[in-house]
Amino acid sequence: MPDHLVIAIDGPAASGKGTLARRLAGHFGLNHLDTGLTYRAVAKALIDARLPLDDEAEAEKAARAVDLTSLDREVLSAHGVGEAASKVAVMTPVRGALVEKQREFAAQPPGAVLDGRDIGTVVFPDADVKLYVTASAAVRAERRWREILDGGGEADYAEILADVERRDARDMNRAISPLKPAADAHLLDTSEMDIETAFLTARSLIEKALAARSKV
């Protein structure tokens, strides 16, 4: 394995890329960053300061102040924060500031696994290995639905499916950094996989890619 390694993982909401990224980071001894949380952190900072979500200057200021080493997943995973994050994520100055921070994070030894929507295409087009993790909208909606029910909450599957499809359309059709697989990404469809199978498949893809690179 190289002394410094960057693994880029992209994919739509609820594809399992976050869980997979954390497992892979642990296995390869790398740092991990869920880049989606960085946008949520900006939105949360604006909400806490009672600032308008459409104030680009304040949003950029919040982005430059975000500490990537202290992102609270539980707090930032709130639905309202996610909705607010979708508004600040389309701002070019915000994306520029956060991409800069994401690159600095991954530059720290021994490297990192980053997951998001534009890691392999924009943030790290020269990543050592790129994965594009996906699953059908129906499967992703069912996963999210079961997760809510298992946590003791209530949820409507049809509403979740509609939300997943809306997010897909928004992520794939946005003008700035649309969600799409990098040309050299390894595609991993997890529709028929449990997390263990997905992890073993992803690990194998990464190990083969690294072995091939070492022979060049």
Side-chain angles (χ1 to χ4, degrees):
M1 198 172 92
D3 292 336
H4 189 273
L5 178 63
V6 174
I7 298 173
I9 302 182
D10 291 308
S15 59
K17 67 181 182 298
T19 302
L20 192 57
R22 289 191 292 276
R23 287 282 304 272
L24 290 169
H27 175 76
F28 289 104
L30 301 171
N31 299 315
H32 169 250
L33 178 63
D34 176 348
T35 61
L37 292 182
T38 66
Y39 292 94
R40 286 172 174 259
V42 173
K44 182 71 163 56
L46 294 176
I47 292 170
D48 289 349
R50 299 191 177 184
L51 292 168
L53 295 173
D54 59 356
D55 189 325
E56 200 167 86
E58 290 293 344
E60 181 184 2
K61 192 185 299 181
R64 296 198 178 281
V66 167
D67 180 359
L68 270 54
T69 64
S70 61
L71 300 173
D72 189 325
R73 174 176 298 278
E74 189 171 342
V75 171
L76 296 177
S77 293
H79 182 72
V81 175
E83 289 297 305
S86 69
K87 297 177 181 177
V88 301
V90 298
M91 298 176 180
T92 300
V94 170
R95 298 197 76 87
L98 291 180
V99 166
E100 188 178 310
K101 282 178 172 285
Q102 291 159 13
R103 288 172 176 163
E104 289 172 355
F105 179 92
Q108 302 301 311
V113 179
L114 296 92
D115 67 272
R117 303 284 197 278
D118 62 349
I119 311 305
T121 54
V122 174
V123 183
F124 271 100
D126 296 323
D128 296 286
V129 186
K130 302 176 189 177
L131 299 180
Y132 187 86
V133 181
T134 189
S136 70
V139 167
R140 289 184 285 126
E142 182 176 357
R143 287 173 181 168
R144 182 153 286 174
W145 176 66
R146 290 191 181 282
E147 184 180 358
I148 294 171
L149 294 185
D150 290 345
E154 296 182 0
D156 181 276
Y157 170 77
E159 287 182 5
I160 293 174
L161 176 58
D163 183 57
V164 165
E165 291 173 337
R166 275 195 303 272
R167 288 191 65 178
D168 285 354
R170 185 173 64 208
D171 289 340
M172 294 175 182
N173 297 316
R174 68 188 181 204
I176 304 171
S177 301
L179 170 65
K180 62 181 180 180
D184 55 347
H186 300 274
L187 299 180
L188 179 59
D189 189 326
T190 66
S191 297
E192 304 296 327
M193 298 181 184
D194 59 21
I195 185 57
E196 191 63 27
T197 303
F199 166 69
L200 293 173
T201 304
R203 187 183 72 182
S204 177
L205 286 170
I206 291 168
E207 289 171 344
K208 286 178 181 177
L210 292 176
R213 282 173 65 99
S214 68
K215 293 177 182 178
V216 175

